[in-house]
Amino acid sequence: MSATSKLLVLLFIAKLTICCASRTNDEVNISLELMLNEKEIVKYLSEESISTSSNHNINYNLDYDKFLIGNRDCRFKQIYHSPNRSKLVVRSQVLPDGYCRSYLQYDNIISYDFYSKDRRVISRSDYHTLDWQSKDSKYVNYHYPQGIILHNEAIAELNERIESFFEYFPDHNNIMKRLESNKLDYYYCPDQATIEKLTGYETRGILLLNQDRVISTFPAHFHEVVHFLINYYLSENQLYTHPFLQEGLAVAIGGRGGMLTSAVLESGNFLVDSDFINYNELMSVEGFNMNHPSLSYPVSGLLTRMMLQHYTSEEYLELYKKYSNSSANIPAISELTWITKDAIIEYSTKNIVKTIIFNCPETKFQEVVSDSTYKISHSKNYYKISFDDTLTQINDFVWLNVGDNQRFKLKAIAEEIKIKDCYLDEIVASWSKSFLIENEDIPQKKGHYYFYIDKSLFQ
């Protein structure tokens, strides 16, 4: 290459670098501009962002654009006008395909985080899923990476679960028809690294309120979908709801990430019965947040099931709305004095069905499948699963050929039994010696352990 040619190439590279830097700085200014004047967001949003943010007509009592939910921090404005202004840093990152990421940072806190191209803003989850594939179902539009397996059974299950929501809240004004038309956007992430990239959070599942989309590592994460459905049902809602009501409803109807509702309610019943948790503490926001979610969620789910039986849907929704506002200053719930421990015991005795039992009301069983380590037989309503001592030494799941082959797995050790639905990545039945008030062991006969499980859990 001649000296002249080399000079021309260097000049071209320099010009390109200057253009990129100029474009980047131009894009970066969006973050600062929007922090200072949030109403300007409307003129920067792409058509797709506006569409997804307004698709379901869910509104909150806000003085700023819905798209900014979860992506604004009032402290940044205060810092900008304070002596600490120098610590507020504008960051930028040039991305492939002409995109830029710009955000504001103060210490380790990031806010006003936008992805933009030609000064048109899209969300973080939109940017990181530009090359994802999609699949429509009755109520849900699934989005997932190329090459990822999404079982049709999981898709069908989530649609059925959505319909089950309306067994508690009657379908007024053709809500289900509207959802069938508009569809919920559901982003299925194969692992936690992917969901963190899309959301910025270390989580297994989340409802993003700014665009009314569920993002989850579970293919049928009904807990998060219930959060969406109650907002969709109300249409006009506040930004914050008392966590006892918000999480309690999502557990009562939708279980918890990776656990079927029935399995979660069993643990809630144990926590109350054993006095491991004072359920009255959960009536205040501070008391609820003071307890670990593994305690507060199952108990609030159990008590919400009682409430859904005690109240009409209209009465329950009035309570839900009463303890919701957009300031996050929510008082303690005062209406639930009727929930006593005796009332909980009475309700649980009649309504909480153990997923794994050791005494079965049915006696006639026929063998279904026999393996070297376990045997499955069935009666009209139950499966009987018996296994030898070698299985109780295995700490990992083994395939259990019940229903569809290669769908369910069994883990059985002396202190714990779990059955997992691999299509849904969900525990459908569990027994734990830790969750017993009275000492109990897995029964055995002629050197074989055994237990029973309701057939409906496999359907």
Side-chain angles (χ1 to χ4, degrees), residues 329-342:
N329 184 21
I330 302 173
I333 300 172
S334 59
E335 287 86 348
L336 303 181
T337 53
W338 61 269
I339 297 181
T340 63
K341 187 168 182 180
D342 286 342

Side-chain angles (χ1 to χ4, degrees), residues 98-329:
Y99 280 92
C100 287
R101 179 193 177 196
S102 60
Y103 57 92
L104 306 183
Q105 184 171 351
Y106 179 77
D107 290 337
N108 294 321
I109 306 171
I110 291 175
S111 193
Y112 297 95
D113 188 358
F114 301 107
Y115 291 72
S116 58
K117 182 177 183 180
D118 301 325
R119 292 180 70 78
R120 283 290 174 265
V121 169
I122 64 172
S123 68
R124 181 188 187 115
S125 57
D126 277 326
Y127 173 75
H128 287 291
T129 58
L130 287 172
D131 62 346
W132 282 25
Q133 59 187 333
S134 62
K135 180 184 287 188
D136 269 356
S137 65
K138 188 172 184 179
Y139 302 109
V140 179
N141 184 17
Y142 274 93
H143 306 263
Y144 54 102
Q146 301 284 344
I148 295 300
I149 296 174
L150 178 61
H151 294 285
N152 289 329
E153 291 84 353
I155 296 174
E157 178 67 27
L158 184 55
N159 282 287
E160 288 180 15
R161 290 178 178 184
I162 287 173
E163 290 179 347
S164 74
F165 175 87
F166 297 96
E167 295 173 10
Y168 297 93
F169 301 101
D171 180 16
H172 299 307
N173 302 319
N174 295 316
I175 293 175
M176 294 172 71
K177 281 292 183 184
R178 284 194 282 118
L179 186 57
E180 198 171 340
S181 174
N182 295 337
K183 301 191 189 304
L184 165 66
D185 281 312
Y186 191 106
Y187 290 75
Y188 173 47
C189 301
D191 49 49
Q192 285 192 260
T194 304
I195 195 173
E196 187 173 354
K197 185 167 69 173
L198 266 62
T199 67
Y201 298 107
E202 293 182 15
T203 182
R204 296 297 305 272
I206 190 171
L207 168 66
L208 296 184
L209 297 178
N210 65 335
Q211 291 178 288
D212 300 315
R213 59 180 50 161
V214 170
I215 304 181
S216 179
T217 59
F218 299 101
H221 199 161
F222 194 37
H223 178 103
E224 296 301 329
V225 173
V226 170
H227 286 320
F228 162 78
L229 287 172
I230 189 64
N231 292 337
Y232 185 65
Y233 194 86
L234 293 172
S235 183
E236 297 287 338
N237 197 19
Q238 305 292 317
L239 186 58
Y240 303 104
T241 299
H242 196 302
F244 172 84
L245 295 168
Q246 186 177 56
E247 299 301 340
L249 181 65
V251 171
I253 300 178
R256 195 175 172 214
M259 290 192 75
L260 203 62
T261 303
S262 52
V264 184
L265 295 183
E266 271 192 90
S267 61
N269 184 42
F270 163 79
L271 291 169
V272 173
D273 202 25
S274 63
D275 292 321
F276 199 85
I277 184 173
N278 179 0
Y279 60 87
N280 287 308
E281 290 179 352
L282 307 181
M283 302 304 165
S284 72
V285 174
E286 296 76 16
F288 189 96
N289 293 332
M290 182 177 65
N291 287 279
H292 192 274
S294 62
L295 305 177
S296 57
Y297 280 44
V299 173
S300 60
L302 173 63
L303 302 190
T304 299
R305 283 296 276 262
M306 294 178 63
M307 294 164 64
L308 292 172
Q309 190 178 95
H310 180 83
Y311 295 119
T312 65
S313 59
E314 290 80 9
E315 289 170 337
Y316 177 83
L317 290 174
E318 282 303 311
L319 193 66
Y320 193 92
K321 290 188 288 185
K322 178 180 178 180
Y323 291 95
S324 299
N325 62 50
S326 291
S327 68
N329 184 21

